[in-house]
């Protein structure tokens, strides 16, 4: 499109559009040592994730951790890798989610809204997708981190990377970020419906709501993540109509030696089995898409800990992924945050 009254030879300008940029954690490009090392180096160098002084942390990371961990992490990813598409399940599911959101955006707003996705770590990078959106005519971008509960190590670091990408744009688009949606009634409804569907309407002896972990120190510094997780679990229980004590809130993926948010999922499920609770279900409300933490850690290490301690029936309830109810929640959330722009 050439602007009205533009001089001869003026370059074409794309039509104005609004961008919706969906962000998830990230994924390695492959499972080999060097792909895993690049991914882990970017992830574990993030000061929002590991906030130790660089002079103390980087020698440990570059020496011991990145020498050994790519092998074990690569094996974990290989056990769940989507070999047909040659990508991680998180990438596959995120593509499916965004494809569904594009269809809904097209139906609601036509070509005025462009929907795309990026990863905080790995590819497609936030910077590359922001640049693509700006070149496509997006002079306003809504940024949606796919984390129901806010945490500095998830939502905030995704926003940080988005703002860093905007800093590199000569003509910077207007920007909005989406707030956490951990207590939205439609999100709780979608989560509860997935539990009911997976359990066939039965109430388990115990439902373990396993959230990704973080150092307890972050909570003491004011991070609201722990409180938001507790509220999600409470609202889920109330919506299901179950009595207190049926849903336990736990935390997984502990890293390092310091104390993290407790109880730890892997220890808690084993203790339940030892107490005679032999039938449990596990749901992961902090994850918008199944990934290595759910498909490998919960289905592998955590399931094994439960069964080794005497547990008999372990049911994993998948994340909301591209379930139509989840897509509708995200579409509504996007629509609310686009108010005044479309």
């Amino acid at each position: 499109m050439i602007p009205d009254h533009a001089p001869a030879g003026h370059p074409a300008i794309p039509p104005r559009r609004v961008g919706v940029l969906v962000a998830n954690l990230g994924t390695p490009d492959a499972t080999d040592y060097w792909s895993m090392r690049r991914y882990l180096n970017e992830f574990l160098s993030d000061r929002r994730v590991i906030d130790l002084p660089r002079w103390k942390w980087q020698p440990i990371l570059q020496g011991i951790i990145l020498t050994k961990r790519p092998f074990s992490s690569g094996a974990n990813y290989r056990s769940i890798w989507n070999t047909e598409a040659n990508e991680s399940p998180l990438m596959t599911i995120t593509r499916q989610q965004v494809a569904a959101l594009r269809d809904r955006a097209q139906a609601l707003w036509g070509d005025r809204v462009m929907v795309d996705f990026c990863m905080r770590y790995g590819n497609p990078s936030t910077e590359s997708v922001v640049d693509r959106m700006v070149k496509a005519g997006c002079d306003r971008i809504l940024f949606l981190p796919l984390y129901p509960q806010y945490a500095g190590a998830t939502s905030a670091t995704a926003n940080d990377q988005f703002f860093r990408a905007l800093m590199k744009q000569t003509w910077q688009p207007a920007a909005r970020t989406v707030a956490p949606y951990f207590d939205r009634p439609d999100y709780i409804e979608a989560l509860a419906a997935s539990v009911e569907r997976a359990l066939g309407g039965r109430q388990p002896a115990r439902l373990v709501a396993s959230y990704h972990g973080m150092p307890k120190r972050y909570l003491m510094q004011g991070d609201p993540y722990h409180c938001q997780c507790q509220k999600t679990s409470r609202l889920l229980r109330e919506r299901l109509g179950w009595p207190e004590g049926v849903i336990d809130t736990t935390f997984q993926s502990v890293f390092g030696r310091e104390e993290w948010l407790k109880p730890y999922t892997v220890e808690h499920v084993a203790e339940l089995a030892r107490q005679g609770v032999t039938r449990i279900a596990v749901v992961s409300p902090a994850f918008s898409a199944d990934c290595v933490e759910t498909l490998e850690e919960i289905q592998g290490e955590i399931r094994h800990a439960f069964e080794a301690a005497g547990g008999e029936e372990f049911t994993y309830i998948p994340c909301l992924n591209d379930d139509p109810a989840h897509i509708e929640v995200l579409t509504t959330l996007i629509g609310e945050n686009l108010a005044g722009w479309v």
Side-chain angles (χ1 to χ4, degrees), residues 256-336:
R257 295 181 179 180
E258 71 174 303
E259 182 179 359
W260 282 42
L261 298 178
K262 290 183 176 180
Y264 301 147
T265 304
V266 67
E267 295 178 359
H268 185 72
V269 299
E271 182 59 28
L272 286 176
R274 285 191 288 269
Q275 292 174 0
V277 181
T278 59
R279 181 171 61 87
I280 69 170
V282 180
V283 66
S284 302
F287 299 94
S288 63
D290 276 304
C291 53
V292 69
E293 287 87 355
T294 64
L295 298 174
E296 193 282 327
E297 186 178 0
I298 291 179
Q299 295 267 53
E301 178 189 2
I302 291 170
R303 177 192 291 269
H304 175 73
F306 176 69
E307 294 175 346
E312 298 174 0
E313 184 179 332
F314 183 101
T315 301
Y316 172 64
I317 300 170
C319 294
L320 292 177
N321 296 326
D322 64 340
D323 181 85
H326 189 210
I327 298 303
E328 199 57 37
V329 171
L330 297 177
T331 301
T332 303
L333 191 61
I334 288 167
E336 292 171 359

Side-chain angles (χ1 to χ4, degrees), residues 8 13 54 74 130 167 196 207 295 304 308:
I13 298 176
R54 289 183 60 84
V130 166
M167 290 170 64
E196 291 172 333
L207 175 65
L295 298 174
H304 175 73

Side-chain angles (χ1 to χ4, degrees), residues 154-168:
T154 55
S155 309
T157 190
N159 288 337
D160 290 345
Q161 197 73 349
F162 175 53
F163 298 140
R164 280 191 283 266
L166 292 177
M167 290 170 64
K168 297 186 178 182

Side-chain angles (χ1 to χ4, degrees), residues 8 19 51 55 78 87 113 118 131 148 153 160-161 165 170 172 177 203 276 283 298 303 328:
D51 66 350
W55 65 265
R78 278 191 293 277
E87 62 188 19
V113 174
C118 65
D131 191 60
D160 290 345
Q161 197 73 349
T170 301
Q172 196 177 68
T177 61
Q203 178 183 306
V283 66
I298 291 179
R303 177 192 291 269
E328 199 57 37

